[in-house]
Every structure is written in structure tokens, then in C-alpha cells.
Amino acid sequence: LREREESVRRIGIGDAGIERLRGTGGRIVIVDDHDEQAAHIVAELGKNHRPVHLGTMGNDLSSSINGVDLLIINAATKGFDGLRLLAHLRARESTRNLPILTLVDTGDRPRLLKALELGTNDIVSIPVDGHELSARAFTQVRRKRYTEFLRERLERNLEAAVTDVLTGLHNRRYMSSQLQSLVSRANLGGDQVAVLILDLDHFKIINDSFGHDAGDEVLREFAVRLATNVRALDLPCRLGGEEFVVVMPGTSLEDAQTIAERIRSNVSREPFRAKGMGEALTVTVSVGVAASVPDDTPETLLKRADQGVYEAKALGRDKVVV
Ligand code: GH3
Ligand code: MG
Ligand code: MG
Ligand code: MG
């Protein structure tokens, strides 16, 4: 294939214009050893000041295809078999969805059918009508752009669905799903899982004294301290309000208690600073700790940790209770 690619003439117009690819233009690569026709295609696609970047297949197929919006293959090149190139691209994971427009001689039904069968996105007959080619090419580019847009939006939404908006920690939904599978695994003889529930002390006073925005800043600062005082595999989450949970896979009650104590002392030792608060403010947190026992459910496990929070509050707050 490499030899065949090398036999394809270069008709590119250099590397300019990649920055201008957004909008209706696109990065289009033409595989055609018919000079005149290739020049005609280049001229048509570049009309109306469309920011088009054109190139030809290089020696390295994967790098020359990287970032390309549309490939135009002449199925009737002399140098090599365009349909084999099409088949090759469709067989590879990285190029399976690459938009491809195939040029087929008018009346060459076998090649036309073969190209469709191999998965070309569209066909343009030779001799090439510039307007038609342009319309079909940019339809493919727009479709690709829109597909990319939808995929990016989907990824953002999926991430948003498991992230707490205020702090960037995992949210309750994520915590529940992770805890569910960790508890199930523990019950099947897997590693023990521990949880901490952390509830800021007298948070209402912070809000009432300094305002809701300052309260939010305290919550964000607390989230940072939480995240930086747990281990890499631990999952710091915000349930809502001033209530947080850390899910700790493969952790004993004793180890969880040590980490809880580390968080508690870090929080009370270093005063918090937030905009709108004149001086730094001492914040404290009450923590309940529990580790899974046989036949636990996420609910029974969290209930024990919650009981710890309740007792910590009763004992005067700023405490860890197992
Ligand atoms: P305790 O020590 O018993 O936990 O007292 P507390 O004041 O922390 O507990 P309480 O549950 O009475 O009050 C929690 C307060 O948290 C009340 C509510 O206004 C505030 N709050 C809840 N969600 C948010 C939030 O997202 N941002 C801010 N700034 N405040 C919040
Ligand atoms: Mg409360
Ligand atoms: Mg509280
Ligand atoms: Mg609370």
C-alpha cells in the first residue's frame, strides 16, 4: 500500500489554513493521480473563499489521515487501486468513520457498486461536475462536524452527570453507583470498603455571618483539602449542602480512621480564607467512619457512618467517631 500511496501525485497547497478549519471549510485530502481533474477539484473546493486545506496522501497513512475531515478517492487512478484503499480504511478502527467521497467513471457500475458496498459515504461521477462535487463534499464535512459536536456534548453531559457543580468533586449519584459495586464485591469475598461521612460544624453560622457566597467558598476550600488528604484510589464526593462522603476501596476501619483524623486536624488547624470574610475563619468538621461487614448494603454501611457523625456532634463537634 505504501508504494501505491507514493505513486499518488502530490497536489496539495501546503500546510496553511489549518487554524481556519472551523465553519464551513474543512481539511480535505484528495487521492487522485489525474492531474487535471485534481486541479479542477482543488479549484472548485476552494471557491467562495471557503477555508479549505487540501493535501495528498503521504507515506504514512495514519498520520496523513489524522485530523482530516474528508477523503476524496478516485477509484480509477492508474497508479493504484482506490477501492483497495477504501477497503483498507474501512477495516481500520481509526479510519472506520472517516468521511470518504469516491470518484467513479460514469457508467462504471461494477466500481460504483463496489464502492458503496465497501462503505463510501457518497459518490461523484467522472467527469466531475464542480458544483455537485462541492455540494456533496461539504455535506460530508458538515455532517462530520455535527457528529463531533454531538459527541463532545455527550461527553460533557456524561461528566456533568457525575460531578458536583460547586466543588468539582464526585456527586451523590456517582458515590452511590461506586459504593454499590464496591459493597457487592466485598460481599463476594473481595476487599473491605470503608466510608467517611463529613459534616461541617455550625455551617449555618458561616452563611449567616458572611453570606452564602463566602459559604460556597468555604465549601470549595474544604473540597480541596478533602481531595488532597485522601489517597489516590479514594473517592471524595459531595452529597449536597455541607455534607461530604469519602468512599475508600480496600480500606480497613483502622486505616479509614487514621485518614479521617488527618482530614479533621488539617481542617481545624489551618483557618479558611474566603472573599468577603475580613479575617481567616476557623472551620471544623465532624466525621463518622464505618467499614463494610458481611451482608452490608450501601445503606447499612452509610447508616453506621452517619451514626458516627451524630455522636461526634453530640460530643462537641470537631471529632472523628468510629
Ligand atoms: P451542625 O454543626 O449541626 O452540622 O450545624 P450546621 O449549621 O452545619 O447544620 P445545618 O444542617 O443546621 O445547616 C446547614 C447549612 O448549610 C444550612 C444551609 O443554609 C447551608 N447550605 C446548604 N447547602 C449550601 C450551599 O450549597 N452553599 C452554602 N453556602 N450553604 C449551604
Ligand atoms: Mg446539620
Ligand atoms: Mg453541618
Ligand atoms: Mg448537615
Side-chain angles (χ1 to χ4, degrees), residues 74-312:
N74 184 354
T77 46
K78 293 180 219 79
F80 77 106
D81 187 347
L83 290 180
R84 274 192 62 174
L85 175 63
L86 176 60
H88 178 77
L89 291 168
R90 283 298 178 248
R92 283 173 16 147
E93 186 61 37
S94 60
T95 52
R96 187 154 294 155
N97 296 312
L98 176 72
I100 298 176
L101 198 63
T102 307
L103 309 180
V104 181
D105 282 330
T106 303
D108 188 348
R109 260 188 88 70
R111 271 216 178 81
L112 171 89
L113 292 174
K114 193 71 192 163
L116 290 170
E117 201 177 289
L118 289 172
T120 188
N121 295 79
D122 205 355
I123 298 270
V124 170
S125 20
I126 303 171
V128 170
D129 174 285
H131 293 294
E132 184 189 332
L133 175 97
S134 213
R136 291 189 189 279
F138 288 109
T139 294
Q140 292 303 323
V141 172
R142 274 194 301 275
R143 191 183 58 86
K144 176 168 185 272
R145 287 264 183 281
Y146 193 63
T147 308
E148 283 167 352
F149 163 74
L150 290 178
R151 186 173 305 128
E152 278 163 25
R153 194 168 68 178
L154 177 66
E155 275 164 18
R156 273 200 308 277
N157 288 347
L158 288 174
E159 196 179 303
V162 295
T163 304
D164 173 55
V165 182
L166 181 72
T167 62
L169 296 182
H170 305 296
N171 66 11
R172 179 190 292 270
R173 179 201 300 230
Y174 184 79
M175 189 278 296
S176 299
S177 69
Q178 294 301 303
L179 191 60
Q180 179 63 253
S181 66
L182 288 165
V183 167
S184 304
R185 257 185 271 167
N187 283 336
L188 292 169
D191 286 342
Q192 198 174 19
V193 52
V195 293
L196 313 181
I197 297 183
L198 311 98
D199 187 297
L200 297 188
D201 296 328
H202 296 309
F203 189 68
K204 198 167 174 327
I205 297 177
I206 298 177
N207 267 334
D208 292 349
S209 316
F210 305 101
H212 200 268
D213 288 350
D216 281 358
E217 276 204 54
V218 168
L219 293 173
R220 278 192 285 264
E221 170 63 18
F222 178 77
V224 170
R225 296 200 192 185
L226 190 59
T228 51
N229 279 287
V230 298
R231 302 156 311 175
L233 291 179
D234 296 335
L235 304 168
C237 317
R238 177 173 175 243
L239 295 192
E242 22 74 87
E243 207 167 291
F244 297 79
V245 165
V246 181
V247 174
M248 314 175 107
T251 306
S252 67
L253 191 60
E254 208 185 3
D255 290 346
Q257 185 180 7
T258 304
I259 293 163
E261 183 51 36
R262 185 163 83 204
I263 296 164
R264 187 208 58 77
S265 67
N266 174 289
V267 169
S268 65
R269 198 176 52 234
E270 295 252 346
F272 283 45
R273 294 183 179 281
K275 268 179 248 135
M277 298 193 317
E279 63 224 74
L281 176 78
T282 297
V283 175
T284 62
V285 62
S286 295
V287 190
V289 186
S292 62
V293 295
D295 297 329
D296 251 337
T297 63
E299 292 71 31
T300 58
L301 178 59
L302 288 170
K303 187 111 209 282
R304 286 202 303 284
D306 206 35
Q307 183 64 28
V309 175
Y310 183 81
E311 287 173 29

